[in-house]
Amino acid sequence: MIRAGAAIVDITPTPGLPMSGFAARTLPAEGVHDGLTVRAVVIGETAIVVADVIGIDAAMSARIRKRCALPAENIVVAALHTHGGPVSMAGRLSVAADLTYLERLEDACVAVIDKAASLRRPARITVGQGSDPGVARNRRHPGGPVDTCLPVLRICGEDGAMIAVVTAYACHPVVLGADNRHWTADYPHFVRRALEEAYPGGVALFMTGCVGDANTGHSAHASITLSASQDRTFDTAGQVGRRIAEAALHAEEQPVSDRASARNGTVALGFERRETETAAALEQRWRTEALTAEPAQRALLGYWADWAKTIAPVVPEPIAARVTVLDWGGVPVVALPGEIFAETALSIRAALGRDRPAFVIGFADDNPGYIPPASEFRFGGYEVDEAHRYYGLPMSFAPGSAEALAGCAIGLAIDN
């Protein structure tokens, strides 16, 4: 029988630290709505840890994996990608990180994996597929594709007590807008709370899917405001989270085999410049526009002008992106870096078999920004033309990057 364990460690920052997720939001956190955590599930010698932050960069992820008791190649370090958390990546997303907090985050990820590993006991694992909760919308194209899959893994001890319930869904954790200044895991908090109420004593692990073009219906540019919206509240986040949890709870169970393994690959992601003006011209234009802009837009233009001055002139080397596929009893867990679009997730699902329960997640082992499929470049927009500035990259990822990640993941999954 396979052995499994799960654990939770609190990482809630004190109020007063900068928040990450919105260029328009320049004031620090003023309180806590729900405590932030790192959560780990260990099955056999493999593990996934998910932190309630916007991203964990590749360097920190590598250190976490190296410091753990489990083999480094068997561990996935993922971020929830909440926009209601602290700055968690140095040099990215335009706000300076608190180094003391980064150390705390790294230590907590190591501690929670090792704790989950120490709690391993004989377990029975089942898998199911929840019905589409009908929450996610393509934010770039009305009626465009979204990944509606809701895989559910239930892990029980020999005594029938729940060890963990694992699920994933592809909707940006950005129900709350830039006006929110309270620490929160956004709607996944409500998913986890509902699952843990249904399975007392169990750890709910929620993983964020491929959400680069998916949220509850607003455009990316709709977040460049500090004005409150009646559709972006904690009440709305609660409704969304409970709807997803309800669909997960009704997923039928099928037993899986007693095995767990991991396979890794590396993809070199190149860059391509989208801007046609010189960096100097861009800086001058944006600083001029900022003089008469509204406060939220002024903050964004300021970030972009600083980017044009200091980052845009750099010619970047390709990024070595880690791709991992865990095999949990025959259930693939495909872990990709960055903000991946629905088209890429669906291409992976098509290769694996669309009716097969599988987890396809983003923000795993790095979050360098948006990695759009080649088909999206002709449409431009924030995710293609602008977001790399916010992420501190001199250029967008080149067309073909998403397809290379998908190809690597499919190869690893099929080889398993």
Side-chain angles (χ1 to χ4, degrees):
M1 180 175 282
I2 197 76
R3 292 169 60 84
I8 303 174
V9 170
D10 182 82
I11 57 165
T12 309
T14 57
L17 283 187
M19 301 183 76
S20 186
F22 298 102
R25 183 175 54 199
T26 57
L27 295 175
E30 61 181 3
V32 179
H33 177 272
D34 49 278
L36 305 185
T37 61
V38 288
R39 296 162 180 252
V41 168
V42 174
I43 299 179
E45 294 295 306
T46 68
I48 291 180
V49 58
V50 179
D52 291 350
V53 294
I54 200 162
I56 293 178
D57 63 36
M60 182 185 289
S61 173
R63 291 194 301 271
I64 292 167
R65 297 194 308 270
K66 186 176 181 180
R67 292 174 56 192
C68 289
L70 297 175
E73 63 271 19
N74 290 357
I75 299 169
V76 171
V77 180
L80 190 70
H81 196 61
T82 174
H83 289 232
V87 180
S88 57
M89 298 184 290
R92 291 183 183 170
L93 299 175
S94 305
V95 181
D98 181 275
L99 298 183
T100 300
Y101 186 80
L102 293 187
E103 291 176 2
R104 177 186 173 190
L105 173 62
E106 181 177 327
D107 290 345
C109 288
V110 175
V112 78
I113 294 170
D114 288 351
K115 182 178 180 181
S118 73
L119 293 173
R120 279 174 292 182
R121 63 185 194 268
R124 177 176 59 86
I125 303 174
T126 62
V127 69
Q129 188 96 282
S131 60
D132 176 11
V135 169
R137 301 287 184 271
N138 190 302
R139 72 183 189 186
R140 287 172 56 82
H141 308 292
V146 292
D147 181 4
T148 61
C149 292
L150 185 66
V152 184
L153 206 71
R154 297 178 178 92
I155 307 169
C156 294
E158 288 183 301
D159 59 358
M162 187 67 68
I163 296 172
V165 55
V166 182
T167 191
Y169 186 63
C171 183
H172 235 95
V174 69
V175 173
L176 279 299
D179 61 304
N180 171 56
R181 291 176 55 203
H182 286 75
W183 301 125
T184 178
D186 208 276
Y187 79 81
H189 159 69
F190 297 96
V191 178
R192 298 183 311 211
R193 188 170 73 177
L195 294 177
E196 288 175 351
E197 288 175 351
Y199 299 116
V203 171
L205 184 77
F206 181 91
M207 299 186 291
T208 304
C210 296
V211 301
D213 53 351
N215 62 19
T216 52
H218 52 273
S219 70
H221 283 130
S223 293
I224 308 174
T225 178
L226 294 173
S227 299
S229 168
Q230 63 179 5
D231 298 322
R232 302 183 69 177
T233 65
F234 282 108
D235 284 344
T236 304
Q239 294 169 20
V240 168
R242 288 187 292 272
R243 189 167 175 176
I244 294 168
E246 188 68 18
L249 288 168
H250 283 88
E252 295 185 0
E253 298 182 67
Q254 297 291 331
V256 305
S257 66
D258 292 342
R259 70 174 191 266
S261 62
R263 293 178 65 86
N264 311 115
T266 302
V267 177
L269 302 181
F271 296 89
E272 183 176 284
R273 189 174 298 283
R274 302 286 293 171
E275 295 84 5
T276 57
E277 298 175 73
T278 66
L282 288 170
E283 180 189 2
Q284 182 178 2
R285 176 162 65 83
W286 288 331
R287 294 204 190 281
T288 300
E289 291 176 4
L291 295 175
T292 57
E294 294 295 321
Q297 183 70 14
R298 186 186 311 134
L300 180 66
L301 290 169
Y303 289 138
W304 286 2
D306 291 342
W307 169 86
K309 181 178 181 180
T310 61
I311 298 174
V314 175
V315 178
E317 294 293 325
I319 286 180
R322 184 179 194 249
V323 177
T324 300
V325 176
L326 302 182
D327 182 341
W328 279 354
V331 179
V333 183
V334 178
L336 305 171
E339 307 211 35
I340 307 297
F341 287 47
E343 179 183 317
T344 302
L346 295 174
S347 72
I348 294 170
R349 293 194 184 282
L352 300 181
R354 289 188 183 275
D355 296 330
R356 180 184 183 187
F359 295 83
V360 184
I361 67 169
F363 311 106
D365 293 313
D366 197 9
N367 183 18
Y370 287 85
I371 308 176
S375 63
E376 285 296 314
F377 280 80
R378 65 191 177 96
F379 298 106
Y382 169 77
E383 298 87 350
V384 173
D385 291 338
E386 302 171 3
H388 61 282
R389 304 168 195 158
Y390 192 42
Y391 269 97
L393 295 174
M395 303 178 190
S396 303
F397 286 107
S401 297
E403 288 74 15
L405 290 173
C408 179
I410 292 166
L412 293 172
I414 291 176
D415 285 347
N416 265 337

